[in-house]
Amino acid sequence: MATFLYRLGRLTFRRRRLVVMLWIAVLAAIGIGAMSAPGTSSGSLSVPGTQSQQAIDLLRKEFPQASADGATARVVFEAPGGQKLTSGVNKAEVESLVAKLEKSPQVSGVSDPFTSGMASESGAIAYAQVSYKVAQADVSGAAHAVQTDVVAQGEKAGLKVSLGGNAVEGKSASKVAELIGVGVAAVVLVITFGSMIAAGLPLLTAILGVAAAVLSVTLATHFFDLASSSTTLALMLGLAVAIDYALFIVSRYRNEIRDGHEPEEACGRALGTAGSAVVFAGLTVIVALSGLSVIGIAMLTSMGLASAFAVAVAVVIALTLLPAMLGFAGMRIMKGKLLTRRKKALERGEGESLGVRWAKFVTRNPVKVLVVSVAGLALLAIPAMSLQMALNDDSGKPPGSTQRIAYDTLSEGFGPGFNGPLTVVVDARDSDSPNAAAQDAYAMLGKLDDAAAVRPPSFNQAGDVALLGVIPKSAPTSEATKDLVNEIRDHSAALHQDTGANLMVTGLTAVNIDVSTKLSDALMPYLAIVVGLALVLLLLVFRSIVIPLKAALGFLLSVFSTLGVVVAVFQWGWLKDLFGVDQTGPIVSLLPIVLIGVVFGLAMDYEVFLVSRMREEYVHGAGPTKAIVQGFQHSGRVVTAAAVIMVSVFSGFLLDVEVLIKSIGLGLAVAVFLDAFVVRMTIVPAVMALLGHRSWTLPRWLDRVLPNVDVEGEKLRHALEAEQTDSAPVPVLAGVHAGWDSHTDVPAPAQQTRGKARGLSRFKERLARGGDATVPADTSEPKEPTLRKLLKNPIRRR
């Protein structure tokens, strides 16, 4: 891989104009296609195999007029203070608004609040239930316009009108989060590089990459139904990883320039080393996010695949467009006019950076540092033991939104259960007496303690499937409502034994409960799969038993600590005002499993970028402790900058109005902070300092079996040094210009030769200080340049 990326880096550097033109053409094509795309849906849930989905499928067949999977809206009316809706002008106005709703496009039915018993005892509050023929993603703009007109007309008449349900168009998300993330990233990059050009390249390529990813996701809605959260999560992750990947490659490119290499050669070497780590890190994120599709929830699948695609685009951008932009920047990327005096001294090799001092402190006190770090993460993880999960509903909408007002008004007039009605289906197709079975179910439901009201059964045209309604006393996301659903389902066996009929519970509340249960059941298996994947991947990369085990345990610490923080804020209400959380409640069911997938990928990013540099120093002959310190010297500052950028990008999403996005933003920000600074930069070096050489050991039989993926580009480095040695003094024939190779017609400027010579001499000096400077050679066959051999068989073991 390193050899291929080395060649790719040099190729894109030379053909930079062509590469940039191709990317511009691709962006233009995607943009044109995305302009006519229908856009993402609001995230309807379809969970095959659950009882609620089975009931929906049955209702779609037996009650087609009910539009079982169609969108619904609740239009809530509230009379002015001291007045009632049940008489006079107010009643006439409500009836007029209901009539207007009945004429709305795509509407299959509207329940009149006065004839359906949907007015409160006080007469001050009433609501109409609007059912649509289409799913929530397909509700047209004309239908939304009627909803808006009804609200405006009602308020003009003095009524308070609010809208709830999944057919109501949500408020578009603010773009402030993205702007904050980009702004902080720009400041961090300028501080890190001290150069506007070096800082601007990661930002420019990241913005182009995110644009390509988001436009592609939008374009995909021509063919797939994608949840609205898919684009937001793809934007969030794509922006963060794209900046980080470009940051690592630009940093390595500048280091290669300092080592005396010409820009083209430096670009090839940067891609062959840091680029290899970027590919591996990107693949881990992609695999983890794509794995969300195996859970079987369409919304989660679309979120995972869209985010994985955004990460893939970020990797491709970093490997193609970024080297081309480096070609345009040339040596100007080394100009550091914004460097502080201390940074200039560090670049001259004077003094020690903060990362080096931190690494020395940790390696001198590994036991104390390890105990304090693990104990701190364990304390943060304690709240995770009381984790409760539920899907968000209108109660999680921001205060002042029409959905939240409708939810609170219904709770005030009818009780919290009216916001989560249950639909009970009696399937009596195999029963001798369908009517008796439906009446038995109706009587049973009326005796349940948490049932506030039960609607009598209504039959399909064949008279063998009945539909009943149950209004719980408790809120839709409460444990009491979940217990009520389970209690109703528990009576199904007795009903079947007595009458031969089956009883099922569905409706939005039941669907949400089933989804939450399925996600809870999938949490630990998915976590086990991700940890197992981490062990295998890191075993291949670092060829060590200890490193993968340490990384996996650190990942688990990060996940549980992050879940503890999220529970403390969103469920317990600690510091909720600081994070803009206006209402506590169960954690959104999608969060833990999405968090595991994303944090796994990001944790492996930092593990690879930091530890691969340590391994590079170790295989060059540095002792275990010295390798740790030198790894921090080369990568500590860059990893710190990358972590700060990611934390900033994710923290910006705390400003989003959606509870799911807000909680994901906080969760990812905390996870990156804990994993980067506590686990990877504290616990990892402490454990490696304690184990010494044993950190890098691998049984011989396993060493022979495992392929050598060479993420740190060690084979490439040996090949390049050997190639330079083999091709050193070449006589120049008469009539041939001394600046050209007569065999390859490749220009070889004197400046490039001097740069390579300087790089080679520095490399030899470093090896002389403790490395192995020998390069294997085979004298039994004609000498072939080592690089040429490696290009023929890039996976050949050295």
Side-chain angles (χ1 to χ4, degrees):
M1 178 188 294
T3 303
F4 168 76
L5 292 177
Y6 169 80
R7 298 172 63 188
L8 177 64
R10 298 196 61 167
L11 176 64
T12 52
F13 188 97
R14 289 195 304 269
R15 307 294 185 186
R16 46 188 175 271
R17 290 180 177 82
L18 176 62
V19 172
V20 171
M21 289 176 62
L22 287 175
W23 269 110
I24 293 175
V26 169
L27 281 171
I30 297 174
I32 293 173
M35 290 175 63
S36 60
T40 54
S41 75
S42 55
S44 58
L45 291 173
S46 174
V47 192
T50 60
Q51 187 185 103
S52 55
Q53 188 64 43
Q54 293 172 0
I56 289 175
D57 295 338
L58 177 62
L59 291 178
R60 188 184 297 116
K61 177 182 177 181
E62 300 296 335
F63 288 86
Q65 72 279 5
S67 300
D69 57 346
T72 59
R74 289 184 300 274
V75 183
V76 183
F77 308 98
E78 185 176 5
Q83 300 183 25
K84 294 184 178 182
L85 296 172
T86 53
S87 61
V89 178
N90 290 336
K91 182 177 182 181
E93 182 64 28
V94 170
E95 290 175 342
S96 172
L97 295 175
V98 169
K100 188 170 186 176
L101 288 169
E102 290 176 342
K103 299 176 182 178
S104 173
Q106 302 176 318
V107 167
S108 62
V110 180
S111 58
D112 187 288
F114 304 115
T115 59
S116 304
M118 296 179 179
S120 63
E121 293 182 1
S122 64
I125 298 173
Y127 75 96
Q129 186 81 9
V130 185
S131 300
Y132 290 84
K133 301 175 183 177
V134 296
Q136 58 186 28
D138 300 320
V139 177
S140 65
H144 289 307
V146 172
Q147 296 173 359
T148 304
D149 291 343
V150 166
V151 173
Q153 180 179 332
E155 291 182 346
K156 187 176 180 180
L159 303 178
K160 295 180 181 179
V161 183
S162 53
L163 305 173
N166 59 4
V168 180
E169 190 173 23
K171 184 180 179 181
S172 58
S174 172
K175 301 300 180 184
V176 176
E178 294 90 320
L179 296 177
I180 291 176
V182 172
V184 174
V187 174
V188 173
L189 289 171
V190 170
I191 294 174
T192 302
F193 291 125
S195 166
M196 294 298 294
I197 295 178
L201 285 182
L203 283 176
L204 176 61
T205 55
I207 291 172
L208 292 176
V210 167
V214 172
L215 289 175
S216 298
V217 172
T218 306
L219 179 62
T221 59
H222 275 297
F223 315 100
F224 308 102
D225 182 22
L226 302 179
S228 58
S229 300
S230 302
T231 303
T232 307
L233 188 59
L235 175 62
M236 182 191 304
L237 287 177
L239 183 62
V241 300
I243 295 176
D244 278 6
Y245 293 164
L247 168 63
F248 285 109
I249 292 177
V250 170
S251 177
R252 191 59 182 253
Y253 172 76
R254 284 162 56 94
N255 288 339
E256 296 293 341
I257 291 287
R258 292 192 189 98
D259 286 343
H261 300 293
E262 285 297 303
E264 182 180 330
E265 176 69 12
C267 184
R269 288 174 179 255
L271 239 66
T273 51
S276 298
V278 165
V279 170
F280 172 79
L283 283 175
T284 58
V285 184
I286 291 169
V287 170
L289 291 172
S290 300
L292 294 174
S293 60
V294 303
I295 298 173
I297 298 176
M299 180 181 179
L300 199 59
T301 299
S302 65
M303 292 174 63
L305 294 181
S307 303
F309 179 76
V311 174
V313 171
V315 173
V316 175
I317 285 278
L319 299 181
T320 56
L321 182 60
L322 179 60
M325 301 303 293
L326 291 175
F328 285 110
M331 293 297 295
R332 288 175 296 174
I333 200 171
M334 301 302 296
K335 294 181 180 179
K337 296 181 179 180
L338 302 176
L339 289 175
T340 62
R341 183 179 300 177
R342 174 174 173 76
K343 184 67 184 298
K344 291 178 180 178
L346 290 174
E347 292 200 349
R348 292 195 303 267
E350 302 172 3
E352 292 181 343
S353 65
L354 181 61
V356 170
R357 284 183 287 170
W358 174 252
K360 289 183 177 180
F361 170 78
V362 172
T363 53
R364 284 196 304 265
N365 307 278
V367 176
K368 296 178 181 178
V369 169
L370 187 61
V371 170
V372 172
S373 301
V374 173
L377 291 178
L379 286 175
L380 290 177
I382 290 176
M385 299 175 64
S386 61
L387 174 67
Q388 297 177 359
M389 295 191 297
L391 284 180
N392 55 322
D393 56 12
D394 286 349
S395 63
K397 297 296 183 182
S401 64
T402 186
Q403 295 97 325
R404 180 66 175 273
I405 294 174
Y407 185 94
D408 293 340
T409 303
L410 279 180
S411 298
E412 178 186 349
F414 302 92
F418 266 76
N419 286 291
L422 304 175
T423 301
V424 179
V425 180
V426 178
D427 182 7
R429 291 175 296 178
D430 296 330
S431 174
D432 295 333
S433 178
N435 187 63
Q439 290 300 324
D440 287 350
Y442 178 66
M444 178 271 295
L445 293 173
K447 297 177 182 178
L448 299 178
D449 293 335
D450 202 50
V454 180
R455 189 181 67 226
S458 58
F459 285 89
N460 63 338
Q461 193 170 13
D464 53 8
V465 177
L467 199 62
L468 300 91
V470 178
I471 303 298
K473 294 180 180 178
S474 307
T477 58
S478 66
E479 285 295 314
T481 300
K482 183 178 179 180
D483 294 339
L484 175 63
V485 171
N486 293 330
E487 186 177 2
I488 294 174
R489 288 172 173 173
D490 290 342
H491 284 83
S492 178
L495 183 68
H496 180 75
Q497 184 176 359
D498 295 339
T499 65
N502 294 315
L503 184 147
M504 295 180 286
V505 184
T506 187
L508 183 60
T509 301
V511 170
N512 289 349
I513 291 173
D514 287 346
V515 170
S516 297
T517 302
K518 187 166 185 175
L519 288 171
S520 299
D521 295 341
L523 188 61
M524 295 311 295
Y526 181 69
L527 183 61
I529 292 173
V530 166
V531 171
L533 178 64
L535 293 174
V536 173
L537 292 176
L538 293 179
L539 182 65
L540 289 174
V541 173
F542 296 116
R543 310 187 70 78
S544 164
I545 297 294
V546 173
I547 299 295
L549 290 174
K550 166 186 59 61
L553 292 175
F555 162 68
L556 291 176
L557 279 173
S558 300
V559 167
F560 286 111
S561 301
T562 301
L563 287 177
V565 172
V566 172
V567 168
V569 174
F570 285 90
Q571 190 172 310
W572 292 1
W574 292 5
L575 301 176
K576 65 176 185 178
D577 294 334
L578 177 64
F579 295 106
V581 179
D582 62 276
Q583 182 174 326
T584 60
I587 304 303
V588 180
S589 302
L590 295 172
L591 174 62
I593 205 156
V594 170
L595 192 67
I596 289 173
V598 175
V599 173
F600 165 74
L602 300 181
M604 296 307 103
D605 278 4
Y606 297 123
E607 184 76 15
V608 171
F609 290 133
L610 191 60
V611 180
S612 62
R613 196 60 191 254
M614 296 179 188
R615 184 174 187 268
E616 186 175 340
E617 299 297 333
Y618 181 78
V619 298
H620 286 164
T625 301
K626 187 177 180 181
I628 294 172
V629 175
Q630 290 180 341
F632 269 81
Q633 179 180 353
H634 292 291
S635 300
R637 186 181 184 89
V638 180
V639 170
T640 300
V644 171
I645 290 172
M646 277 201 174
V647 170
S648 303
V649 171
F650 294 146
S651 297
F653 285 86
L654 283 168
L655 302 176
D656 198 279
V657 296
E658 290 292 333
V659 174
L660 174 61
I661 301 303
K662 187 187 289 285
S663 58
I664 288 179
L666 176 64
L668 292 180
V670 171
V672 170
F673 178 84
L674 295 178
D675 194 86
F677 295 112
V678 181
V679 175
R680 308 301 156 189
M681 302 187 74
T682 305
I683 294 178
V684 166
V687 172
M688 294 176 67
L690 286 173
L691 295 177
H693 289 283
R694 287 171 293 182
S695 297
W696 307 104
T697 56
L698 186 70
R700 291 185 177 180
W701 65 269
L702 189 57
D703 183 53
R704 290 192 297 268
V705 172
L706 291 178
N708 191 348
V709 295
D710 191 29
V711 170
E712 70 279 0
E714 183 62 19
K715 289 194 294 185
L716 172 64
R717 183 181 296 274
H718 280 291
L720 291 173
E721 300 298 344
E723 179 73 8
Q724 291 171 352
T725 303
D726 291 343
S727 59
V730 179
V732 180
L733 301 178
V736 179
H737 195 279
W740 292 79
D741 185 336
S742 59
H743 296 288
T744 61
D745 291 337
V746 176
Q751 186 181 2
Q752 181 174 349
T753 305
R754 289 196 300 271
K756 291 184 178 180
R758 287 199 302 270
L760 179 59
S761 64
R762 294 185 183 184
F763 179 70
K764 288 183 176 180
E765 289 174 4
R766 184 174 62 180
L767 294 181
R769 291 195 295 268
D772 182 8
T774 59
V775 179
D778 187 356
T779 57
S780 62
E781 59 181 17
K783 288 187 177 181
E784 182 181 10
T786 309
L787 180 58
R788 203 170 301 147
K789 292 181 182 179
L790 190 59
L791 296 182
K792 291 180 180 179
N793 185 11
I795 62 172
R796 180 172 59 85
R797 295 172 58 84
R798 64 178 183 271

